[in-house]
Amino acid sequence: MSIAIRLSLLLLAATWLLGACESTEQVHNGRFLAFGTLTDISIAGTSREQAESAIAALEEDFALMHKAWHAWAPGPLTRTNNLLAEGVRFAAPPSVLTLMQISARLARQSDNLFNPAIGRLVKLWGFQKDTIENQRPPDDAAIARLVKANPTMQDITIDGIHARSNNPALQLDFGAIGKGYGIDLAIEHLREMGVENAIINSGGDLRAIGSRGGRPWRIAIRSPSGAGALGFVHVSGDESVFTSGDYERNYLWKGRRYHHIIDPRNGYPAQGTRSVTVIHHNATTADAAATALFVAGPKDWHRIARRMGIRYVLLIDGNNVAHMNPAMAERIELADKDQPVNISKPLTGQEKEKK
């Protein structure tokens, strides 16, 4: 058993994640590093031994996924990117092929606001590094060249197990979907091991299944400041909660902050949004949608959410106004009762207009 599990496998009486949900049922908790952030596993309704075994298995799973989808360290994705740049037809690694297929579908649904093909832009801005200290913005002309090349997932032709790109500017970066897909795979593995009540939380993005002793899981939504909670939602059954924020990876240059969520349309960090939270049954879709809606911004998030089949959205704009659809407004408990709120039209036909 790893040191992380030995130190972290505890009975949770109260945590920021579970808040005021009280139950006599034990919740076992494990923690390890994955995808560059701390990943917390909470398991209820099992023995300590079963929880230990499950958490150890997931730690191995996440280590393999991190290596497979790492955007700049040697591995399957970097080999794939080299071959895509050459324009040759090649047999894609299975671990990358599935993500390419899923990403292509979600990119189309988002009008390419979610665009994993802009890895060269992400690298140009300095965000494909383990540390981003002493970074400066790239040259405008270099940005313009990549924007003009317009790499998208539609530039990749997939034929069975083979792939090929006709755009040498294309480079894959799964930073806006890999975590979600990894969590979905991990949930499947938990269920195969007989676990039906759990949360996998990777850096504040999570998927929860089942319940805690029959009670919903109480989930904190991170504040756009990156510290503290903006509000809380209750989830049970099977739901994912993902947030994209400008606080996650950023740097200062001459008094201005530049964050890692790049708008593919102009090549610069997206403006007008501080954070977006999405609730969806599928973590992969929630992950991609949170990024797409962040880029869409306060004026266009509603249209993109409908295209992607999202039912619950909370967007905090640059003026700290919370934009949400009526169904989300019914679910969220805002920490600040004076928070400015703008309720949109319903996202679905079943959703009622909030008066």
Side-chain angles (χ1 to χ4, degrees):
M1 190 193 312
S2 72
I3 294 175
I5 295 175
R6 288 200 299 270
L7 292 177
S8 301
L9 196 61
L10 303 170
L11 170 62
L12 293 181
T15 69
W16 72 271
L17 180 65
L18 299 177
C21 286
E22 296 180 357
S23 172
T24 58
E25 183 177 62
Q26 287 190 342
V27 178
H28 303 285
N29 194 43
R31 170 176 287 185
F32 49 80
L33 189 66
F35 295 117
T37 189
L38 288 175
T39 296
D40 293 285
I41 315 295
S42 300
I43 296 176
T46 69
S47 67
R48 181 185 181 92
E49 291 72 21
Q50 185 181 12
E52 287 181 356
S53 177
I55 293 169
L58 292 195
E59 186 171 11
E60 294 181 6
D61 289 348
F62 274 96
L64 291 172
M65 291 185 287
H66 176 74
K67 182 177 180 180
W69 305 328
H70 201 291
W72 59 91
L77 181 56
T78 52
R79 290 197 299 272
T80 297
N81 277 328
N82 291 337
L83 292 167
L84 289 171
E86 293 176 14
V88 299
R89 184 174 183 265
F90 64 98
S95 59
V96 177
L97 179 62
T98 302
L99 258 182
M100 284 198 293
Q101 293 168 325
I102 295 171
S103 293
R105 171 176 57 83
L106 291 171
R108 284 193 300 271
Q109 292 176 356
S110 72
D111 278 356
N112 287 318
L113 299 186
F114 160 70
N115 186 357
I118 61 167
R120 292 187 187 277
L121 265 173
V122 177
K123 183 178 181 180
L124 187 66
W125 277 94
F127 291 113
Q128 284 188 356
K129 295 179 180 180
D130 293 324
T131 60
I132 54 174
E133 296 176 357
N134 302 317
Q135 188 65 39
R136 60 181 296 171
D139 180 71
D140 290 342
I143 295 171
R145 284 193 293 270
L146 285 176
V147 171
K148 184 178 181 180
N150 190 32
T152 69
M153 294 304 297
Q154 285 72 55
D155 293 327
I156 302 175
T157 300
I158 298 176
D159 178 17
I161 65 170
H162 294 91
R164 183 174 186 170
S165 170
N166 59 10
N167 189 339
L170 182 147
Q171 185 179 87
L172 295 173
D173 185 320
F174 292 135
I177 192 174
K179 186 193 297 184
Y181 184 56
I183 288 176
D184 280 338
L185 293 180
I187 288 291
E188 289 181 18
H189 197 176
L190 281 180
R191 284 174 164 160
E192 290 170 358
M193 292 185 285
V195 175
E196 295 295 335
N197 303 283
I199 290 180
I200 301 178
N201 180 342
S202 186
D205 296 319
L206 60 92
R207 180 172 168 185
I209 58 172
S211 63
R212 182 178 188 248
R215 298 173 180 267
W217 303 95
R218 187 172 188 248
I219 308 300
I221 297 174
R222 191 185 302 182
S223 168
S225 67
L230 174 69
F232 302 88
V233 295
H234 291 86
V235 301
S236 61
D238 188 349
E239 286 189 304
S240 303
V241 183
F242 272 68
T243 299
S244 287
D246 62 7
Y247 52 80
E248 293 174 320
R249 283 176 66 79
N250 59 71
Y251 57 81
L252 288 172
W253 175 254
K254 294 185 176 180
R256 182 175 178 182
R257 187 173 64 166
Y258 297 88
H259 63 80
H260 75 295
I261 305 175
I262 307 299
D263 187 336
R265 298 168 297 187
N266 60 27
Y268 290 84
Q271 299 297 307
T273 308
R274 298 185 64 196
S275 72
V276 171
T277 297
V278 168
I279 303 178
H280 193 268
H281 64 86
N282 177 269
T284 308
T285 300
D287 198 359
T291 295
L293 300 183
F294 188 104
V295 175
K299 295 182 179 180
D300 204 26
W301 70 266
H302 194 274
R303 180 182 69 88
I304 299 300
R306 287 178 65 98
R307 282 182 55 88
M308 299 187 76
I310 306 301
R311 297 180 60 189
Y312 304 98
V313 178
L314 166 66
L315 180 148
I316 307 298
D317 69 18
N319 296 316
N320 201 40
V321 176
H323 302 255
M324 64 183 88
N325 60 306
M328 183 62 135
E330 292 291 336
R331 294 193 60 172
I332 189 168
E333 173 192 344
L334 292 171
D336 182 2
K337 303 304 180 184
D338 296 323
Q339 168 73 50
V341 175
N342 179 29
I343 306 298
S344 74
K345 295 180 179 179
L347 283 170
T348 69
Q350 291 75 35
E351 188 179 357
K352 294 181 180 180
E353 192 87 38
K354 190 173 180 63
K355 304 298 183 182

